[in-house]
Amino acid sequence: MSIQKTVTVDLGERSYDIVIGPGVLAQAGERIKAISPGARCAIVTDANVNAAHGEALRASLDAVGIEHSTLEVEPGEQTKCMAVFEHVVGGLLDARLERRDLVLALGGGVVGDLAGFAASVTRRGMDFVQIPTSLLAQVDSSVGGKTGINAPQGKNLIGAFHQPRLVLADTDVLKTLSPREFRAGYAEVAKYGLIDRPDFFEWLERNRQKVFAFGPELVEAVAVSCQSKADVVARDELEGGLRALLNLGHTFGHALESATRYDGSRLVHGEGVAIGMALAHRFSNRLNLCSMDDVNRVEAHLRVAGLPVTIGEIPGDLPGPEKLLDYIAQDKKVSRGKLTFILTKGVGQSYIARDVPSSEVLQFLKEVT
Amino acid sequence: MSIQKTVTVDLGERSYDIVIGPGVLAQAGERIKAISPGARCAIVTDANVNAAHGEALRASLDAVGIEHSTLEVEPGEQTKCMAVFEHVVGGLLDARLERRDLVLALGGGVVGDLAGFAASVTRRGMDFVQIPTSLLAQVDSSVGGKTGINAPQGKNLIGAFHQPRLVLADTDVLKTLSPREFRAGYAEVAKYGLIDRPDFFEWLERNRQKVFAFGPELVEAVAVSCQSKADVVARDELEGGLRALLNLGHTFGHALESATRYDGSRLVHGEGVAIGMALAHRFSNRLNLCSMDDVNRVEAHLRVAGLPVTIGEIPGDLPGPEKLLDYIAQDKKVSRGKLTFILTKGVGQSYIARDVPSSEVLQFLKEVT
């Protein structure tokens, strides 16, 4: 158990711990009892995760006498919608849970975003615990309090900032992921190195294989990722500025996800982010900000991790540069009409550029599509 | 214009002004431009209020060049539901409003609660301005950041704490209210005196007629009410404790509203609160906390304002004491099964009693039904 690591997200009264490592799921009951003695729990999970890990969580709650019920939703992105949201909120109310009772979000990013948002509005705000079961959720979506659902107008357009009371990231659980899912999550791990931790990126270059082999290096990689995100969130909880750095690779990535209509058989989020990060470095190079050596180094590392780095690697037809630019402009990271991009001066030297001319972006897209 | 008063809700970075008095609506454009230069606006309002005051607001926005659109909803409590909420959020997204653009809630409590909640979750939190057009909304629901909708399981069970950027309370607008609506709002005005401002209650006893005649005393009464609420909210934004004082009269009142199935032809919210406040004093007297003189004084003042003070004044059949107790226990102001009541030691001396035995409440209900 000594391999477990704890990262604290420092948000004053709303501070919370992220506990990372093997065996964390089995400790859920005692850890939850410690933060909320007497609270009852509603587990929100999807059918697949429930089958794989639901019993382990319930056994852990039973062992310390915590009352619980389970709300199961369908797996998949389409679950992050208003209808399922209403169903989950209704389930929490039917269970007569009170504000200080707990919603336990057991699953990947979809379940975490949905259950966290449901918790945030039920009785104007219930407590909740994130128990992320995908690498993507462990290093990204479960940390920082962003919750929400999709709207017909776009992804994640309806939601709330609602911090969990605790995050339990059991790295053993990641062994049940498909290799493609694991790789996609790894793109977000690499992202933290590329944002502002060049030493971590170097460490990943040396230790990638051990991370993928579920060694203690995986716990280290998740912990550094969570610490990186926690540092940014602590300085900018409500995404006023700095937090935009976490969108490195996401502006291009989201446009590509839109262009493939979020068809996971063609492109999953982490793959979009991988291509987006490669493009962000290449675009920065075109703007004479970043060396070609850095572009090549980033692409090489993502490639060797099994991730795509060019638009051409996405199977099937894609819209042209003009349409891709339109998707970028529709992204919510537009402030009063100006395009905001995360650009970089090299590995680990990203920064927020608030008024990138769309003509430059279009020219670049014409070169890379 | 010198008759206008401004009350500041002191919440650090989220502080905001409540501007109260005649002519405030016509100043909306310039006041909004001052707090959010460059922002676009979506007016959320109901058909009745839109017909009465929509043009005045739009003219004021046009005069200073603020872009705006209007989303009209049906009048009435049934509008505070998930379907209309989804419609409003969709309308805000369709209008491509950004986080720093503004939702203007023009209407009574229903519109304010609905539009404020929609603003709170659209793009994870848009700015909004309350422009309350009922006395109830001006002195209560528009101040303090509670927003939300009703669930099949109960009222206001889904929502958020989301503070407005500004509250514009035009007292001239109240002239379009029905006398019954005005009286019902007055119950909440009297409440602030009864909670902890005995001097204000005395002032109301002397000045009630001038308040009802739309004299400058109305501006004073609204301003003191808003200041009272602002003081409580500043000390307990998220309803951890002290804010419960604002529920004086509401525990009995909500139970009576439930018992009449929220049929406004039988009982409107402010009438339920009036009866609830009278009962809270009477119950406190039964518990030897408050003198019979105080009970009589409270009842006399509410009566002379045209408000009901006994359960018997509600037209139609009502359920018996046991069922009423059940409604009280279902209220969300139950903490881990104990009944929380606002009791009083006399006019202006209310306090939070966290473990009132339900047997005492039942006994009391048997006496007064």
Side-chain angles (χ1 to χ4, degrees), chain A residues 82 90 94 98-99 121 123-124 147 153 157-159 239 332 336, chain B residues 82 86 94 98-99 121 123-124 147 153 157-159 239 332 336:
Chain A
M82 192 64 88
D94 284 340
E98 297 168 13
R99 278 193 190 162
V121 304
R123 297 176 188 274
R124 292 203 186 89
T147 69
Q153 292 84 358
L157 288 178
I158 306 171
E239 202 169 30
K332 70 178 182 302
R336 303 246 164 104
Chain B
M82 191 64 86
E86 187 174 358
D94 284 339
E98 297 168 14
R99 278 193 191 161
V121 303
R123 296 176 188 272
R124 292 203 186 90
T147 69
Q153 292 83 356
L157 289 179
I158 306 172
E239 201 168 28
K332 71 176 182 303
R336 304 248 164 102

PDB file of all heavy atoms in Angstrom, chain A residues 82 90 94 98-99 121 123-124 147 153 157-159 239 332 336, chain B residues 82 86 94 98-99 121 123-124 147 153 157-159 239 332 336:
ATOM      1  N   MET A  82     -29.587  15.819 -21.449  1.00  0.00           N
ATOM      2  CA  MET A  82     -30.563  16.356 -20.514  1.00  0.00           C
ATOM      3  C   MET A  82     -31.505  15.267 -19.984  1.00  0.00           C
ATOM      4  O   MET A  82     -31.848  15.271 -18.802  1.00  0.00           O
ATOM      5  CB  MET A  82     -31.345  17.470 -21.220  1.00  0.00           C
ATOM      6  CG  MET A  82     -32.197  18.314 -20.317  1.00  0.00           C
ATOM      7  SD  MET A  82     -31.316  19.304 -19.074  1.00  0.00           S
ATOM      8  CE  MET A  82     -30.987  20.805 -19.981  1.00  0.00           C
ATOM      9  N   GLY A  90     -33.646  12.857 -10.568  1.00  0.00           N
ATOM     10  CA  GLY A  90     -34.867  12.260 -10.021  1.00  0.00           C
ATOM     11  C   GLY A  90     -34.559  11.079  -9.117  1.00  0.00           C
ATOM     12  O   GLY A  90     -35.172  10.908  -8.060  1.00  0.00           O
ATOM     13  N   ASP A  94     -35.566  10.722  -5.328  1.00  0.00           N
ATOM     14  CA  ASP A  94     -36.384   9.574  -4.902  1.00  0.00           C
ATOM     15  C   ASP A  94     -35.729   8.836  -3.733  1.00  0.00           C
ATOM     16  O   ASP A  94     -36.412   8.301  -2.863  1.00  0.00           O
ATOM     17  CB  ASP A  94     -36.596   8.593  -6.062  1.00  0.00           C
ATOM     18  CG  ASP A  94     -37.625   9.103  -7.065  1.00  0.00           C
ATOM     19  OD1 ASP A  94     -38.428   9.990  -6.694  1.00  0.00           O
ATOM     20  OD2 ASP A  94     -37.627   8.627  -8.213  1.00  0.00           O
ATOM     21  N   GLU A  98     -29.975  13.780   1.284  1.00  0.00           N
ATOM     22  CA  GLU A  98     -29.884  15.158   1.730  1.00  0.00           C
ATOM     23  C   GLU A  98     -28.576  15.778   1.254  1.00  0.00           C
ATOM     24  O   GLU A  98     -27.738  15.097   0.678  1.00  0.00           O
ATOM     25  CB  GLU A  98     -30.034  15.204   3.260  1.00  0.00           C
ATOM     26  CG  GLU A  98     -31.413  14.697   3.682  1.00  0.00           C
ATOM     27  CD  GLU A  98     -31.553  14.443   5.177  1.00  0.00           C
ATOM     28  OE1 GLU A  98     -30.671  14.876   5.938  1.00  0.00           O
ATOM     29  OE2 GLU A  98     -32.554  13.802   5.562  1.00  0.00           O
ATOM     30  N   ARG A  99     -28.428  17.081   1.502  1.00  0.00           N
ATOM     31  CA  ARG A  99     -27.272  17.788   0.947  1.00  0.00           C
ATOM     32  C   ARG A  99     -25.936  17.200   1.362  1.00  0.00           C
ATOM     33  O   ARG A  99     -24.989  17.225   0.612  1.00  0.00           O
ATOM     34  CB  ARG A  99     -27.294  19.254   1.397  1.00  0.00           C
ATOM     35  CG  ARG A  99     -28.197  20.111   0.579  1.00  0.00           C
ATOM     36  CD  ARG A  99     -27.891  21.571   0.916  1.00  0.00           C
ATOM     37  NE  ARG A  99     -28.902  22.426   0.336  1.00  0.00           N
ATOM     38  CZ  ARG A  99     -29.121  23.676   0.716  1.00  0.00           C
ATOM     39  NH1 ARG A  99     -28.395  24.204   1.685  1.00  0.00           N
ATOM     40  NH2 ARG A  99     -30.039  24.393   0.144  1.00  0.00           N
ATOM     41  N   VAL A 121     -26.658  20.244  -8.624  1.00  0.00           N
ATOM     42  CA  VAL A 121     -27.952  20.941  -8.652  1.00  0.00           C
ATOM     43  C   VAL A 121     -29.025  20.282  -7.780  1.00  0.00           C
ATOM     44  O   VAL A 121     -30.073  20.890  -7.555  1.00  0.00           O
ATOM     45  CB  VAL A 121     -28.501  21.092 -10.097  1.00  0.00           C
ATOM     46  CG1 VAL A 121     -27.491  21.814 -10.983  1.00  0.00           C
ATOM     47  CG2 VAL A 121     -28.912  19.760 -10.693  1.00  0.00           C
ATOM     48  N   ARG A 123     -30.929  19.574  -4.706  1.00  0.00           N
ATOM     49  CA  ARG A 123     -31.031  20.352  -3.458  1.00  0.00           C
ATOM     50  C   ARG A 123     -30.020  21.498  -3.434  1.00  0.00           C
ATOM     51  O   ARG A 123     -29.457  21.840  -2.408  1.00  0.00           O
ATOM     52  CB  ARG A 123     -30.869  19.459  -2.228  1.00  0.00           C
ATOM     53  CG  ARG A 123     -31.978  18.435  -2.127  1.00  0.00           C
ATOM     54  CD  ARG A 123     -31.790  17.481  -0.974  1.00  0.00           C
ATOM     55  NE  ARG A 123     -32.774  16.413  -1.052  1.00  0.00           N
ATOM     56  CZ  ARG A 123     -33.998  16.492  -0.551  1.00  0.00           C
ATOM     57  NH1 ARG A 123     -34.370  17.569   0.101  1.00  0.00           N
ATOM     58  NH2 ARG A 123     -34.832  15.491  -0.684  1.00  0.00           N
ATOM     59  N   ARG A 124     -29.780  22.056  -4.607  1.00  0.00           N
ATOM     60  CA  ARG A 124     -28.818  23.155  -4.800  1.00  0.00           C
ATOM     61  C   ARG A 124     -27.401  22.791  -4.366  1.00  0.00           C
ATOM     62  O   ARG A 124     -26.622  23.645  -3.958  1.00  0.00           O
ATOM     63  CB  ARG A 124     -29.262  24.424  -4.076  1.00  0.00           C
ATOM     64  CG  ARG A 124     -30.506  25.060  -4.655  1.00  0.00           C
ATOM     65  CD  ARG A 124     -30.602  26.544  -4.307  1.00  0.00           C
ATOM     66  NE  ARG A 124     -31.866  27.092  -4.758  1.00  0.00           N
ATOM     67  CZ  ARG A 124     -32.975  27.092  -4.026  1.00  0.00           C
ATOM     68  NH1 ARG A 124     -32.967  26.584  -2.809  1.00  0.00           N
ATOM     69  NH2 ARG A 124     -34.081  27.603  -4.515  1.00  0.00           N
ATOM     70  N   THR A 147     -18.073  19.958 -14.264  1.00  0.00           N
ATOM     71  CA  THR A 147     -19.064  18.909 -14.470  1.00  0.00           C
ATOM     72  C   THR A 147     -20.020  19.391 -15.556  1.00  0.00           C
ATOM     73  O   THR A 147     -20.089  20.589 -15.822  1.00  0.00           O
ATOM     74  CB  THR A 147     -19.875  18.645 -13.185  1.00  0.00           C
ATOM     75  OG1 THR A 147     -20.721  19.788 -12.927  1.00  0.00           O
ATOM     76  CG2 THR A 147     -18.967  18.402 -11.983  1.00  0.00           C
ATOM     77  N   GLN A 153     -26.355  22.020 -29.147  1.00  0.00           N
ATOM     78  CA  GLN A 153     -25.490  23.057 -29.723  1.00  0.00           C
ATOM     79  C   GLN A 153     -24.004  22.738 -29.560  1.00  0.00           C
ATOM     80  O   GLN A 153     -23.169  23.408 -30.166  1.00  0.00           O
ATOM     81  CB  GLN A 153     -25.782  24.413 -29.072  1.00  0.00           C
ATOM     82  CG  GLN A 153     -27.139  25.008 -29.401  1.00  0.00           C
ATOM     83  CD  GLN A 153     -28.253  24.459 -28.508  1.00  0.00           C
ATOM     84  OE1 GLN A 153     -28.038  23.595 -27.660  1.00  0.00           O
ATOM     85  NE2 GLN A 153     -29.454  24.955 -28.698  1.00  0.00           N
ATOM     86  N   LEU A 157     -21.752  22.133 -22.856  1.00  0.00           N
ATOM     87  CA  LEU A 157     -22.231  23.523 -22.824  1.00  0.00           C
ATOM     88  C   LEU A 157     -23.158  23.785 -21.641  1.00  0.00           C
ATOM     89  O   LEU A 157     -23.518  24.919 -21.363  1.00  0.00           O
ATOM     90  CB  LEU A 157     -22.939  23.880 -24.138  1.00  0.00           C
ATOM     91  CG  LEU A 157     -22.011  24.033 -25.342  1.00  0.00           C
ATOM     92  CD1 LEU A 157     -22.800  24.344 -26.604  1.00  0.00           C
ATOM     93  CD2 LEU A 157     -20.983  25.135 -25.080  1.00  0.00           C
ATOM     94  N   ILE A 158     -23.576  22.726 -20.946  1.00  0.00           N
ATOM     95  CA  ILE A 158     -24.459  22.888 -19.787  1.00  0.00           C
ATOM     96  C   ILE A 158     -23.774  22.214 -18.603  1.00  0.00           C
ATOM     97  O   ILE A 158     -23.453  21.027 -18.669  1.00  0.00           O
ATOM     98  CB  ILE A 158     -25.827  22.226 -20.046  1.00  0.00           C
ATOM     99  CG1 ILE A 158     -26.438  22.749 -21.354  1.00  0.00           C
ATOM    100  CG2 ILE A 158     -26.771  22.438 -18.870  1.00  0.00           C
ATOM    101  CD1 ILE A 158     -27.688  21.982 -21.783  1.00  0.00           C
ATOM    102  N   GLY A 159     -23.530  22.968 -17.541  1.00  0.00           N
ATOM    103  CA  GLY A 159     -22.842  22.343 -16.422  1.00  0.00           C
ATOM    104  C   GLY A 159     -22.549  23.314 -15.303  1.00  0.00           C
ATOM    105  O   GLY A 159     -23.100  24.413 -15.242  1.00  0.00           O
ATOM    106  N   GLU A 239     -11.886  29.086 -14.293  1.00  0.00           N
ATOM    107  CA  GLU A 239     -11.441  29.258 -15.673  1.00  0.00           C
ATOM    108  C   GLU A 239     -11.509  30.709 -16.136  1.00  0.00           C
ATOM    109  O   GLU A 239     -12.058  31.015 -17.190  1.00  0.00           O
ATOM    110  CB  GLU A 239     -12.277  28.371 -16.620  1.00  0.00           C
ATOM    111  CG  GLU A 239     -11.556  28.103 -17.929  1.00  0.00           C
ATOM    112  CD  GLU A 239     -12.245  27.014 -18.747  1.00  0.00           C
ATOM    113  OE1 GLU A 239     -13.455  26.851 -18.663  1.00  0.00           O
ATOM    114  OE2 GLU A 239     -11.521  26.335 -19.482  1.00  0.00           O
ATOM    115  N   LYS A 332     -16.318  26.753 -27.427  1.00  0.00           N
ATOM    116  CA  LYS A 332     -16.662  27.761 -26.427  1.00  0.00           C
ATOM    117  C   LYS A 332     -15.464  28.564 -25.936  1.00  0.00           C
ATOM    118  O   LYS A 332     -15.626  29.541 -25.221  1.00  0.00           O
ATOM    119  CB  LYS A 332     -17.421  27.143 -25.259  1.00  0.00           C
ATOM    120  CG  LYS A 332     -16.636  26.249 -24.346  1.00  0.00           C
ATOM    121  CD  LYS A 332     -17.559  25.786 -23.220  1.00  0.00           C
ATOM    122  CE  LYS A 332     -16.810  24.913 -22.223  1.00  0.00           C
ATOM    123  NZ  LYS A 332     -16.203  23.731 -22.830  1.00  0.00           N
ATOM    124  N   ARG A 336     -15.506  36.906 -27.037  1.00  0.00           N
ATOM    125  CA  ARG A 336     -15.903  38.074 -27.827  1.00  0.00           C
ATOM    126  C   ARG A 336     -15.342  38.023 -29.246  1.00  0.00           C
ATOM    127  O   ARG A 336     -14.817  39.002 -29.769  1.00  0.00           O
ATOM    128  CB  ARG A 336     -15.471  39.364 -27.127  1.00  0.00           C
ATOM    129  CG  ARG A 336     -16.038  39.461 -25.713  1.00  0.00           C
ATOM    130  CD  ARG A 336     -17.022  40.590 -25.580  1.00  0.00           C
ATOM    131  NE  ARG A 336     -17.835  40.443 -24.364  1.00  0.00           N
ATOM    132  CZ  ARG A 336     -17.663  41.155 -23.251  1.00  0.00           C
ATOM    133  NH1 ARG A 336     -16.754  42.074 -23.181  1.00  0.00           N
ATOM    134  NH2 ARG A 336     -18.457  40.969 -22.216  1.00  0.00           N
TER     135      ARG A 336
ATOM    136  N   MET B  82     -38.384  21.218 -15.568  1.00  0.00           N
ATOM    137  CA  MET B  82     -37.222  20.807 -16.350  1.00  0.00           C
ATOM    138  C   MET B  82     -37.403  21.110 -17.839  1.00  0.00           C
ATOM    139  O   MET B  82     -36.455  21.518 -18.507  1.00  0.00           O
ATOM    140  CB  MET B  82     -36.992  19.307 -16.117  1.00  0.00           C
ATOM    141  CG  MET B  82     -35.692  18.774 -16.626  1.00  0.00           C
ATOM    142  SD  MET B  82     -34.165  19.425 -15.851  1.00  0.00           S
ATOM    143  CE  MET B  82     -33.991  18.327 -14.437  1.00  0.00           C
ATOM    144  N   GLU B  86     -34.886  23.496 -19.900  1.00  0.00           N
ATOM    145  CA  GLU B  86     -34.127  23.034 -21.074  1.00  0.00           C
ATOM    146  C   GLU B  86     -34.352  23.989 -22.253  1.00  0.00           C
ATOM    147  O   GLU B  86     -33.413  24.313 -22.995  1.00  0.00           O
ATOM    148  CB  GLU B  86     -34.571  21.605 -21.437  1.00  0.00           C
ATOM    149  CG  GLU B  86     -33.737  20.981 -22.526  1.00  0.00           C
ATOM    150  CD  GLU B  86     -34.095  19.510 -22.785  1.00  0.00           C
ATOM    151  OE1 GLU B  86     -34.987  18.963 -22.083  1.00  0.00           O
ATOM    152  OE2 GLU B  86     -33.489  18.915 -23.695  1.00  0.00           O
ATOM    153  N   ASP B  94     -28.541  28.981 -28.409  1.00  0.00           N
ATOM    154  CA  ASP B  94     -28.843  29.345 -29.802  1.00  0.00           C
ATOM    155  C   ASP B  94     -28.467  30.803 -30.084  1.00  0.00           C
ATOM    156  O   ASP B  94     -28.052  31.139 -31.190  1.00  0.00           O
ATOM    157  CB  ASP B  94     -30.339  29.148 -30.105  1.00  0.00           C
ATOM    158  CG  ASP B  94     -30.697  27.678 -30.289  1.00  0.00           C
ATOM    159  OD1 ASP B  94     -29.776  26.877 -30.573  1.00  0.00           O
ATOM    160  OD2 ASP B  94     -31.883  27.328 -30.145  1.00  0.00           O
ATOM    161  N   GLU B  98     -22.068  34.331 -24.673  1.00  0.00           N
ATOM    162  CA  GLU B  98     -20.870  33.844 -24.010  1.00  0.00           C
ATOM    163  C   GLU B  98     -20.987  34.060 -22.511  1.00  0.00           C
ATOM    164  O   GLU B  98     -21.942  34.662 -22.033  1.00  0.00           O
ATOM    165  CB  GLU B  98     -19.637  34.537 -24.614  1.00  0.00           C
ATOM    166  CG  GLU B  98     -19.485  34.188 -26.095  1.00  0.00           C
ATOM    167  CD  GLU B  98     -18.463  35.050 -26.829  1.00  0.00           C
ATOM    168  OE1 GLU B  98     -17.679  35.753 -26.165  1.00  0.00           O
ATOM    169  OE2 GLU B  98     -18.462  35.005 -28.084  1.00  0.00           O
ATOM    170  N   ARG B  99     -19.987  33.558 -21.778  1.00  0.00           N
ATOM    171  CA  ARG B  99     -20.078  33.585 -20.319  1.00  0.00           C
ATOM    172  C   ARG B  99     -20.266  34.970 -19.742  1.00  0.00           C
ATOM    173  O   ARG B  99     -20.943  35.145 -18.741  1.00  0.00           O
ATOM    174  CB  ARG B  99     -18.810  32.996 -19.707  1.00  0.00           C
ATOM    175  CG  ARG B  99     -18.809  31.505 -19.656  1.00  0.00           C
ATOM    176  CD  ARG B  99     -17.672  31.069 -18.742  1.00  0.00           C
ATOM    177  NE  ARG B  99     -17.470  29.635 -18.854  1.00  0.00           N
ATOM    178  CZ  ARG B  99     -16.373  29.009 -18.483  1.00  0.00           C
ATOM    179  NH1 ARG B  99     -15.363  29.698 -17.968  1.00  0.00           N
ATOM    180  NH2 ARG B  99     -16.274  27.718 -18.598  1.00  0.00           N
ATOM    181  N   VAL B 121     -25.995  27.465 -15.276  1.00  0.00           N
ATOM    182  CA  VAL B 121     -25.454  26.238 -15.890  1.00  0.00           C
ATOM    183  C   VAL B 121     -25.090  26.403 -17.363  1.00  0.00           C
ATOM    184  O   VAL B 121     -24.430  25.531 -17.927  1.00  0.00           O
ATOM    185  CB  VAL B 121     -26.421  25.033 -15.744  1.00  0.00           C
ATOM    186  CG1 VAL B 121     -26.745  24.778 -14.281  1.00  0.00           C
ATOM    187  CG2 VAL B 121     -27.663  25.200 -16.588  1.00  0.00           C
ATOM    188  N   ARG B 123     -22.966  27.247 -20.258  1.00  0.00           N
ATOM    189  CA  ARG B 123     -21.502  27.420 -20.350  1.00  0.00           C
ATOM    190  C   ARG B 123     -20.877  27.436 -18.961  1.00  0.00           C
ATOM    191  O   ARG B 123     -19.940  28.168 -18.696  1.00  0.00           O
ATOM    192  CB  ARG B 123     -21.148  28.686 -21.130  1.00  0.00           C
ATOM    193  CG  ARG B 123     -21.599  28.617 -22.576  1.00  0.00           C
ATOM    194  CD  ARG B 123     -21.349  29.894 -23.349  1.00  0.00           C
ATOM    195  NE  ARG B 123     -21.968  29.808 -24.659  1.00  0.00           N
ATOM    196  CZ  ARG B 123     -21.357  29.286 -25.730  1.00  0.00           C
ATOM    197  NH1 ARG B 123     -20.147  28.815 -25.630  1.00  0.00           N
ATOM    198  NH2 ARG B 123     -21.991  29.218 -26.884  1.00  0.00           N
ATOM    199  N   ARG B 124     -21.447  26.652 -18.069  1.00  0.00           N
ATOM    200  CA  ARG B 124     -21.008  26.531 -16.670  1.00  0.00           C
ATOM    201  C   ARG B 124     -21.038  27.856 -15.916  1.00  0.00           C
ATOM    202  O   ARG B 124     -20.263  28.072 -14.987  1.00  0.00           O
ATOM    203  CB  ARG B 124     -19.608  25.921 -16.584  1.00  0.00           C
ATOM    204  CG  ARG B 124     -19.537  24.469 -17.016  1.00  0.00           C
ATOM    205  CD  ARG B 124     -18.332  23.754 -16.413  1.00  0.00           C
ATOM    206  NE  ARG B 124     -18.212  22.414 -16.965  1.00  0.00           N
ATOM    207  CZ  ARG B 124     -17.510  22.124 -18.058  1.00  0.00           C
ATOM    208  NH1 ARG B 124     -16.875  23.075 -18.706  1.00  0.00           N
ATOM    209  NH2 ARG B 124     -17.461  20.886 -18.485  1.00  0.00           N
ATOM    210  N   THR B 147     -31.391  30.001  -6.899  1.00  0.00           N
ATOM    211  CA  THR B 147     -32.104  29.846  -8.164  1.00  0.00           C
ATOM    212  C   THR B 147     -32.543  28.392  -8.266  1.00  0.00           C
ATOM    213  O   THR B 147     -31.999  27.534  -7.579  1.00  0.00           O
ATOM    214  CB  THR B 147     -31.197  30.160  -9.364  1.00  0.00           C
ATOM    215  OG1 THR B 147     -30.198  29.131  -9.474  1.00  0.00           O
ATOM    216  CG2 THR B 147     -30.520  31.514  -9.217  1.00  0.00           C
ATOM    217  N   GLN B 153     -40.748  15.609  -7.129  1.00  0.00           N
ATOM    218  CA  GLN B 153     -40.627  15.269  -5.706  1.00  0.00           C
ATOM    219  C   GLN B 153     -40.852  16.475  -4.791  1.00  0.00           C
ATOM    220  O   GLN B 153     -41.005  16.298  -3.581  1.00  0.00           O
ATOM    221  CB  GLN B 153     -39.233  14.688  -5.420  1.00  0.00           C
ATOM    222  CG  GLN B 153     -38.963  13.325  -6.032  1.00  0.00           C
ATOM    223  CD  GLN B 153     -38.515  13.416  -7.494  1.00  0.00           C
ATOM    224  OE1 GLN B 153     -38.475  14.490  -8.078  1.00  0.00           O
ATOM    225  NE2 GLN B 153     -38.207  12.272  -8.092  1.00  0.00           N
ATOM    226  N   LEU B 157     -36.268  21.817  -5.662  1.00  0.00           N
ATOM    227  CA  LEU B 157     -35.322  20.753  -5.298  1.00  0.00           C
ATOM    228  C   LEU B 157     -34.153  20.660  -6.264  1.00  0.00           C
ATOM    229  O   LEU B 157     -33.191  19.943  -6.028  1.00  0.00           O
ATOM    230  CB  LEU B 157     -36.039  19.400  -5.203  1.00  0.00           C
ATOM    231  CG  LEU B 157     -36.964  19.252  -3.998  1.00  0.00           C
ATOM    232  CD1 LEU B 157     -37.652  17.894  -4.008  1.00  0.00           C
ATOM    233  CD2 LEU B 157     -36.169  19.425  -2.703  1.00  0.00           C
ATOM    234  N   ILE B 158     -34.247  21.376  -7.387  1.00  0.00           N
ATOM    235  CA  ILE B 158     -33.162  21.352  -8.381  1.00  0.00           C
ATOM    236  C   ILE B 158     -32.733  22.800  -8.616  1.00  0.00           C
ATOM    237  O   ILE B 158     -33.563  23.631  -8.976  1.00  0.00           O
ATOM    238  CB  ILE B 158     -33.649  20.730  -9.708  1.00  0.00           C
ATOM    239  CG1 ILE B 158     -34.267  19.351  -9.455  1.00  0.00           C
ATOM    240  CG2 ILE B 158     -32.508  20.643 -10.718  1.00  0.00           C
ATOM    241  CD1 ILE B 158     -34.960  18.745 -10.676  1.00  0.00           C
ATOM    242  N   GLY B 159     -31.470  23.096  -8.390  1.00  0.00           N
ATOM    243  CA  GLY B 159     -31.069  24.483  -8.576  1.00  0.00           C
ATOM    244  C   GLY B 159     -29.627  24.723  -8.202  1.00  0.00           C
ATOM    245  O   GLY B 159     -28.836  23.794  -8.048  1.00  0.00           O
ATOM    246  N   GLU B 239     -26.267  28.752   2.809  1.00  0.00           N
ATOM    247  CA  GLU B 239     -27.256  28.194   3.709  1.00  0.00           C
ATOM    248  C   GLU B 239     -26.697  27.085   4.585  1.00  0.00           C
ATOM    249  O   GLU B 239     -27.253  25.997   4.681  1.00  0.00           O
ATOM    250  CB  GLU B 239     -28.465  27.664   2.912  1.00  0.00           C
ATOM    251  CG  GLU B 239     -29.718  27.553   3.781  1.00  0.00           C
ATOM    252  CD  GLU B 239     -30.975  27.307   2.954  1.00  0.00           C
ATOM    253  OE1 GLU B 239     -30.869  26.726   1.880  1.00  0.00           O
ATOM    254  OE2 GLU B 239     -32.042  27.708   3.418  1.00  0.00           O
ATOM    255  N   LYS B 332     -37.399  20.204   2.610  1.00  0.00           N
ATOM    256  CA  LYS B 332     -35.962  19.956   2.532  1.00  0.00           C
ATOM    257  C   LYS B 332     -35.191  20.523   3.713  1.00  0.00           C
ATOM    258  O   LYS B 332     -34.009  20.263   3.868  1.00  0.00           O
ATOM    259  CB  LYS B 332     -35.394  20.458   1.216  1.00  0.00           C
ATOM    260  CG  LYS B 332     -35.313  21.950   1.030  1.00  0.00           C
ATOM    261  CD  LYS B 332     -34.621  22.214  -0.302  1.00  0.00           C
ATOM    262  CE  LYS B 332     -34.459  23.700  -0.552  1.00  0.00           C
ATOM    263  NZ  LYS B 332     -35.728  24.439  -0.534  1.00  0.00           N
ATOM    264  N   ARG B 336     -30.806  15.256   8.564  1.00  0.00           N
ATOM    265  CA  ARG B 336     -30.643  13.925   9.152  1.00  0.00           C
ATOM    266  C   ARG B 336     -31.810  13.534  10.050  1.00  0.00           C
ATOM    267  O   ARG B 336     -31.637  13.043  11.158  1.00  0.00           O
ATOM    268  CB  ARG B 336     -29.321  13.839   9.929  1.00  0.00           C
ATOM    269  CG  ARG B 336     -28.110  14.186   9.086  1.00  0.00           C
ATOM    270  CD  ARG B 336     -27.219  12.987   8.847  1.00  0.00           C
ATOM    271  NE  ARG B 336     -26.288  13.221   7.747  1.00  0.00           N
ATOM    272  CZ  ARG B 336     -25.008  13.519   7.877  1.00  0.00           C
ATOM    273  NH1 ARG B 336     -24.467  13.588   9.060  1.00  0.00           N
ATOM    274  NH2 ARG B 336     -24.242  13.698   6.819  1.00  0.00           N
TER     275      ARG B 336
END
